Amino acid sequence: MPGMPGMPGADTLPPPGISSYLNWHPEPFFLAATIVATGMYLFGVLRLRQRGDAWQISRTASFLAGMLIFLGITCTGLNEYGMYLFSAHMVQHMMLSMVDPLFLLLGAPITLALRVLHPAGPGRTGPREVLLALLHSRFAKVVSSPLFTLPLFVVSLYGLYFTSLFDFLMKSRVGHDFMLVHFLFVGLLFFWPVMGVDPAPHRSPFVIRILELFAVMPFHAFFGIAIMMSNSLFESVFANPPSSWGLTALSDQNTAGSIAWAFGEAPTIIVLLVLFVQWAKSDQREAKRKDRKADRDGDAELNEYNEYLAGLAQRNPGPAA
């Protein structure tokens, strides 16, 4: 089977490098998924424009960038070397769980679907009603809660690489592809309630979201450092790289650890910047909402507060001069 120690699959590949990683090598499942997802998104944008509704170009660009990243991770030589090199596999893991979800979520695909899909009508159930029911379901509330997403993110690191589960999944291409889907799924679930623009059943205040983001950083950093500094091999599946590649399994494992450690820093900074921008825009929207309310009711809230203060002054007059 490909990917097992001593098997000839790796010997058919040239030494790893940027050009080898970028070679076009489509995986049918991932290529089909990319085409379908991109086509559905662009169709939705086109439908909105035909109705005269606006859709932010930045959202479309972000989603397309996310799909391009997904294609580059799964349908190039990087996916081939991910079966034989720990460092290549770790690039796939980090990109799919820490980077690609940011672009996809900022594309707001759920919001787009809700705007494009028409209500089915009284007493009927259509795709829009099913999507809304799912968003409001108990299942969605559970999987979007930090009590679920934080442990899932941590277990996906330690429970996979520090047990025999990784070697078991790497026995076949199907197992490897399953891991890639899992990495993307975990990243989407974790970042959706934190910085996604789509509606979510559980969305904490901005301060709590920032704390959620920082909560996983120590676990992620320790994971990368543990792999980077180890003097023994974690995964037997990567134990025998071809001698023509000019590297050892231990040096490649150390590289994989440094990749994991580095990817914990940069995406966190990006998410923090996005959160601060969203926070500022939220405050601006709230201020505008209050201004519009004041214009409609003649600033009744302020007048009521002033009357309250005046009443207090009458009941508690100050000392006579």
Side-chain angles (χ1 to χ4, degrees):
M1 292 182 181
M4 292 300 291
M7 290 297 175
D11 295 328
T12 64
L13 298 173
I18 299 298
S19 59
S20 300
Y21 291 158
L22 294 180
N23 285 336
W24 178 242
H25 199 287
E27 185 77 11
F29 171 76
F30 292 124
L31 180 60
T34 302
I35 293 174
V36 171
T38 303
M40 292 177 64
Y41 189 94
L42 293 178
F43 176 76
V45 174
L46 180 61
R47 287 289 299 272
L48 283 184
R49 293 189 178 277
Q50 288 175 342
R51 290 189 339 217
D53 295 336
W55 184 254
Q56 296 178 18
I57 296 178
S58 59
R59 290 183 176 180
T60 303
S62 179
F63 187 84
L64 293 181
M67 295 311 304
L68 185 61
I69 292 172
F70 180 76
L71 192 69
I73 296 300
T74 60
C75 290
T76 61
L78 181 64
N79 194 33
E80 290 300 300
Y81 286 92
M83 292 289 296
Y84 308 106
L85 280 180
F86 203 177
S87 58
H89 171 84
M90 192 59 68
V91 170
Q92 290 185 288
H93 183 165
M94 294 297 108
M95 288 293 291
L96 288 175
S97 64
M98 299 291 292
V99 177
D100 203 22
L102 309 184
F103 288 92
L104 295 175
L105 290 170
L106 289 176
I110 297 177
T111 301
L112 177 62
L114 291 174
R115 291 186 59 183
V116 170
L117 296 171
H118 293 287
R124 301 177 61 186
T125 301
R128 191 175 192 276
E129 287 72 24
V130 172
L131 180 56
L132 285 172
L134 180 60
L135 287 173
H136 292 92
S137 66
R138 182 178 297 273
F139 172 78
K141 291 179 181 179
V142 170
V143 300
S144 64
S145 168
L147 297 178
F148 180 84
T149 59
L150 293 179
L152 178 65
F153 195 92
V154 174
V155 170
S156 294
L157 291 175
Y158 294 89
L160 178 64
Y161 293 102
F162 291 0
T163 68
S164 59
L165 179 60
F166 183 81
D167 280 337
F168 171 76
L169 292 173
M170 287 293 291
K171 289 180 180 179
S172 69
R173 173 70 66 176
V174 173
H176 179 253
D177 290 349
F178 171 81
M179 278 192 288
L180 299 186
V181 174
H182 171 76
F183 297 151
L184 181 61
F185 175 77
V186 170
L188 289 172
L189 270 186
F190 177 75
F191 288 111
W192 174 31
V194 173
M195 49 74 67
V197 295
D198 282 324
H202 181 94
R203 181 149 290 165
S204 305
F206 283 100
V207 174
I208 302 301
R209 289 191 240 171
I210 292 174
L211 293 177
E212 291 175 20
L213 184 64
F214 279 108
V216 301
M217 289 183 62
F219 296 99
H220 200 283
F222 180 78
F223 167 76
I225 293 173
I227 294 178
M228 182 171 52
M229 303 301 293
S230 176
N231 292 321
S232 60
L233 292 178
F234 278 92
E235 314 300 347
S236 62
V237 70
F238 298 124
N240 298 309
S243 58
S244 61
W245 287 5
L247 52 82
T248 65
L250 188 58
S251 67
D252 183 66
Q253 176 177 282
N254 294 339
T255 300
S258 64
I259 291 171
W261 177 77
F263 267 90
E265 303 295 327
T268 300
I269 295 174
I270 294 174
V271 175
L272 279 176
L273 292 175
V274 171
L275 281 175
F276 283 129
V277 171
Q278 291 178 346
W279 198 347
K281 289 183 177 180
S282 176
D283 288 343
Q284 292 174 0
R285 287 193 297 268
E286 181 63 18
K288 290 180 180 179
R289 185 191 67 79
K290 290 182 178 179
D291 289 342
R292 288 193 297 267
K293 183 177 182 297
D295 291 339
R296 289 193 303 267
D297 58 19
D299 216 351
E301 184 177 350
L302 179 60
N303 293 332
E304 182 180 348
Y305 182 67
N306 288 334
E307 291 174 1
Y308 169 74
L309 293 179
L312 287 179
Q314 291 176 358
R315 289 193 296 270
N316 302 286

